[in-house]
Amino acid sequence: MVKRYMQKIKKLVNNIMNNAYVFSVISKVISVGLVLLYSIVYSRYMKAELRGVGDVIHSYADMSMLILCFGIYQAYPYFKKKTGKDIYKEFIDLVAGLFILYAALAGIVLAIIRPNIEISIIIILVPLMFAIRQFNYVVLVEKPKIRNAAQVCLDFFDIVLVLAFMLITKANYKVCVCYLIVRQLMYFIVAVINLKIKLRDIRPSVRKAWPYIKFGMIPMITIIMMEINYKMDVLMLEGFGISKAEIGVYSLGITLAQKIWLIPDALKDILLSKLAFGKSKDEVAKITRISLTIILTFTLGVAVVGRPAIRLLYGEEYVEAYKVLLILLVGVVGMVFYKMIYSYNVVNGLRMVNLFLLGIAAFTNVCINAFVIPEYGISGAAFASTVSYFVCGISFLIYFCKKNNVRYSRMLFICKEDIVSLRQLIK
């Protein structure tokens, strides 16, 4: 009896491991559960004001890192598909070379200029975040299961780290910035481990950077447009003098809204890998309509239970985050189309399309924010994000359907074959 039961468990585990989509979804669900638990502990420990400080620093570092990436990681799946060669080791050597270069430049700037503490933290974080982004992306393309499993481990580490800080010291400004550095250092170490390459075998070099940079410049600007769509609201809130505490509340609302993307994000990651290995537009349509159905269910549930859940889990200080979350729900649904179609465009070298469509969304975001933040504060920023998210998603949907002669119904409405597939996966 016990032997038969163990065989069933072994078979179930094998089935999960052999289906990339299922494994990614399960790991993402676990990851999001851990992230939500982490956000509860982190928000209560740091309080709204220090959370706002951390979010502002991280946003500036992230935007700076994207510029220094030159979009080279976005070029990786395209060159892999185009050349048909194993360029994994070559790419790792390139990223390692650029990381050493940026780390050296950061040290020189800190030694000569001696900037204030916030700018110093940003300068320290940029090289680390650069390497993390590049390494994680190439592992995602080559070994998505390893990347997803590692993310679950990191999410668990985040909880352990913030609990350790809670036991050691009371939250303050210095603790906040120290926490940011320690967290990124651990992310960097795990990213290097995920490469599955011995350190002595890595040969840092920037000699072969130009083809990647040449291809990646347009994707770099595109990603910056995307990040403007995601993060410019936080930076503009600070620019218009909104308090760090309100920014912390707004940041929580944004974080919770983006966690609704857990299923689309999980499926998008595997879709990118499958497209790089030859899948077509039919796979994009299938994953899009399944993701849309799931996310509509999630948004309805969040709208119903969001307010009491935030009050219970995060405390009265963060209740206003529900209003931000509620405003963002419409935009979150629209972004399903962007996430799937963007991956298709990246693999197929459609750089200018991504740049143009994301440029429209980013421009919309900045313009609306400039008008509504002074008057409506964080609610205005949430409205601007919702409009830009929705414009972004619909723009990608229209382009994809017209370009590939795909009916809108094939992207929007789940069909019988999808239900059969879902039943098989659940079984």
Side-chain angles (χ1 to χ4, degrees), residues 48 65 100 121 136 208 271 275 305 318 322 401 425 427:
M65 173 271 294
I100 292 173
I121 299 303
N136 281 345
K208 296 183 179 180
L271 177 63
L275 289 171
V305 305
Y318 290 99
Y322 173 70
C401 290
L425 293 177
K427 183 178 180 181

Side-chain angles (χ1 to χ4, degrees), residues 146-158:
I146 291 177
R147 173 71 185 91
N148 288 324
Q151 187 58 54
V152 172
C153 294
L154 284 172
D155 293 331
F156 180 75
F157 166 78
D158 282 341

Side-chain angles (χ1 to χ4, degrees), residues 286 289-290 413-422:
K286 175 183 176 181
R289 60 181 181 261
I290 290 175
F413 304 116
I414 198 168
C415 59
K416 185 177 180 180
E417 64 186 72
D418 300 328
I419 296 174
V420 172
S421 297
L422 285 171

Side-chain angles (χ1 to χ4, degrees), residues 42 53 95 108 128 130 132 219 229 241-243 275 284 301 321 373 414:
Y42 176 74
V53 170
V95 174
I108 293 171
L128 290 172
F130 163 83
I132 293 167
N229 213 25
I242 304 300
S243 70
L275 289 171
V284 178
I373 287 178
I414 198 168

Side-chain angles (χ1 to χ4, degrees), residues 234-260:
V234 171
L235 301 181
M236 291 185 72
L237 283 168
E238 189 202 24
F240 280 109
I242 304 300
S243 70
K244 291 292 196 303
E246 286 186 273
I247 293 176
V249 171
Y250 177 80
S251 174
L252 176 62
I254 285 283
T255 298
L256 295 176
Q258 292 177 351
K259 294 314 167 193
I260 301 174

